Amino acid sequence: MKHSEKQENTNLPTDAQLEPKVEGRRLGDRLAAARRNHFVGRIEELEAFARMLRPNPDFSLLFIHGPGGMGKSSLLSEFARVCLDQHWTPLLLDARNIDPSPDGFLQALAGVMRLEPNVSPLLALEQGALEGLHGGVLLLDTFENLKPLDAWLRERFLPELPEAMRVVLAGREPPNPQWSGDSGWRELMRVQGLRNLRPTESRELLHKRGLPSTAQDALLAFTHGHPLALSLVAETFRSQAANPSLEFDPDQHPDMLRTLLERFVQSVPSPAHRATLEICALVHTTTESVLAAGLDAPEVHELFAWLRSLSFVQEGPNGLSPHELLRDVIHRDLRWRNPDWNA
């Protein structure tokens, strides 16, 4: 096979600076290409990010938030790709791997910058250590894991960054009100909440996963356009449906439902919290009185406050209601796992 034919099959961009020679490619390059190939939608977020990379932008910090499985990590990976396209240096950090202390954060940043031991990342940035033509973009994922550092990042670290730096923070929850309460950050920050994919985008994702159009309607009805759910049901359908026209029945896949449920609720403190979440999924709206009746408990204020704090539970004029996908997942899982309690 000719060298040019090898390059043709890599699915990498044609920009010479982004396409390494085939002999020097790593498995990570193929992983990045595969992830990009499956990325769909998020037009508004990509446009906001592109505006931030322009000279003298209106804002320098973009805050992305949304429930678990909404595709925040995939979006930040796409942002990193855009950085390379436009000759910025992406500094991608996942807070799940960072000790939530100033020293732990600076150590993680020094690692992604590949600095020598005891070299200050802030000093290195000030001295122009990054290779990008325009500067660096700090992309910080799973921001909710850095709650103990919220004030330090807002008041100490970020203000010390060079003016040319751009910052993206992504987490399950909107920014702490103290961000918008600060007149400076209120002007320099934009907040964008992630929503489910549109039907056309959902179909595009399923098409890229090899799902025939005859199978897509049932998957769309079950997932409501939730990116993680679309991916999970697509993989389940592909692996278990020998007949491409076979109708998808979510009730036949309890393992997939449990995976979805565990992703939404990574850790439930107690059986009472689990029952609280299940009640919220089964009733139309949840109030403290509804919860007290369902649990047969006189005092449920703390449980209701916990439920209210979950990023995928929304407040309405009549009480709390969960994300529709979570409602469906819990209902189906509960009906399969514990039909008596479900009834």
Side-chain angles (χ1 to χ4, degrees), residues 12-321:
L12 291 175
T14 56
D15 191 321
Q17 292 194 357
L18 301 180
E19 186 173 44
K21 294 181 179 180
V22 173
E23 291 81 358
R25 293 190 67 212
R26 303 166 301 154
L27 180 59
D29 298 322
R30 295 186 63 185
L31 285 170
R35 289 165 181 158
R36 177 171 176 79
N37 185 52
H38 287 96
F39 184 85
V40 300
R42 304 309 184 200
I43 302 302
E44 293 84 356
E45 291 77 13
L46 288 168
E47 289 177 348
F49 185 66
R51 291 198 306 272
M52 190 173 68
L53 297 186
R54 295 172 185 168
N56 302 314
D58 294 334
F59 59 100
S60 299
L61 188 152
L62 180 61
F63 199 113
I64 302 289
H65 67 91
M70 194 58 73
K72 297 181 294 295
S73 297
S74 297
L75 180 60
L76 259 62
S77 294
E78 186 66 12
F79 284 170
R81 181 66 180 200
V82 172
C83 287
L84 294 175
D85 283 339
Q86 301 192 19
H87 308 290
W88 290 77
T89 300
L91 301 174
L92 182 57
L93 290 172
D94 190 335
R96 288 174 296 186
N97 306 318
I98 298 175
D99 176 61
S101 66
D103 287 343
F105 182 86
L106 292 174
Q107 183 177 358
L109 181 58
V112 77
M113 293 176 63
R114 300 181 180 179
L115 299 177
E116 296 293 330
N118 301 320
V119 175
S120 165
L122 285 172
L123 180 60
L125 289 171
E126 185 179 339
Q127 295 176 347
L130 300 180
E131 297 178 356
L133 179 64
H134 301 297
V137 180
L138 176 61
L139 304 163
L140 185 54
D141 199 4
T142 328
F143 187 67
E144 66 273 10
N145 283 22
L146 294 181
K147 280 187 177 180
L149 286 183
D150 189 275
W152 178 80
L153 288 167
R154 184 180 64 252
E155 299 170 5
R156 300 284 299 278
F157 173 77
L158 293 178
E160 291 297 322
L161 291 176
E163 185 178 3
M165 284 284 294
R166 308 288 192 267
V167 179
V168 179
L169 307 179
R172 293 193 172 202
E173 304 168 359
N176 185 307
Q178 291 179 329
W179 287 86
S180 57
D182 183 304
S183 59
W185 282 120
R186 188 167 60 245
E187 180 176 335
L188 295 181
M189 180 177 68
R190 295 294 180 273
V191 180
Q192 206 143 356
L194 289 188
R195 300 293 181 261
N196 288 353
L197 296 175
R198 298 183 178 93
T200 54
E201 296 168 341
S202 300
R203 290 186 183 278
E204 181 184 357
L205 187 150
L206 293 175
H207 176 73
K208 288 187 174 185
R209 297 296 173 92
L211 270 292
S213 56
T214 54
Q216 292 182 9
D217 288 342
L219 298 184
L220 292 176
F222 173 66
T223 61
H224 305 283
H226 189 278
L228 172 66
L230 283 166
S231 298
L232 284 175
V233 297
E235 291 305 312
T236 301
F237 184 89
R238 283 207 310 162
S239 64
Q240 300 192 19
N243 181 354
S245 64
L246 181 66
E247 291 188 4
F248 174 76
D249 182 1
D251 293 320
Q252 300 304 313
H253 305 289
D255 290 340
M256 181 199 65
L257 299 179
R258 185 166 60 251
T259 300
L260 283 172
L261 183 60
E262 289 172 353
R263 181 60 180 259
F264 267 106
V265 187
Q266 295 180 346
S267 60
V268 177
S270 72
H273 290 80
R274 169 70 66 180
T276 297
L277 191 60
E278 291 170 348
I279 289 172
C280 182
L282 294 177
V283 301
H284 183 61
T285 54
T286 302
T287 61
E288 285 196 11
S289 59
V290 168
L291 189 57
L295 295 174
D296 192 21
E299 180 53 55
V300 296
H301 179 72
E302 290 186 3
L303 289 171
F304 185 82
W306 170 80
L307 185 66
R308 191 177 186 177
S309 70
L310 298 177
S311 61
F312 45 79
V313 173
Q314 300 175 333
E315 296 184 27
N318 299 317
L320 304 178
S321 58

